[in-house]
Amino acid sequence: MEQQSSPWREPIVWLMLALVGAVVIGSAIMLKVAADGGPMDVVPDKVERTGQIQHSDLGPDAAAAAAGLTAVVRIDREHGFIEAFPATGNFDHAQRLRLSLHHPTRASADLVLELAPFDAGWRASAKPALDHDWLLQLESTAGPRWRLRGRMPRGDLAVHLQPAIDSGQP
């Protein structure tokens, strides 16, 4: 008489159970990661969609490129403010500027600051987090519309902003 062995003593049964368990646990983790933090808001511009084509207003970028505007934005963590300094072009130093700091993936973490003029440029009180990248946008609040953009990598304290398009582009 042959002795029948239990299926639980077979290594292949344990391997199959381990694989199924790993898939279930991995799926639960991926579902948690995907649901956490909400949608990805990577484009702060108003975008119009016509069929399969997306349109965005590049007029302010073209105006900044035509005027040859560039700037440097600096974070002063010690004193708790952000400064913008003109690098090239003719800026209206009496005008207030708007600086938008966009989180790369979460719109809820975005900051919008109004920079007041001071002797060397523009300044606002703020201490943004430095544990992730920032997408920066500096723009006029009055008069001719222009816009400068740049990306500040995690941990950096300064960034050079420039128009999103070249002056030669349409």
Side-chain angles (χ1 to χ4, degrees), residues 13-28:
V13 172
W14 289 107
L15 178 63
M16 288 175 30
L17 288 175
L19 289 174
V20 169
V23 168
V24 169
I25 291 170
S27 298

Side-chain angles (χ1 to χ4, degrees), residues 55 97 119:
H55 300 278
L97 300 180
D119 56 348

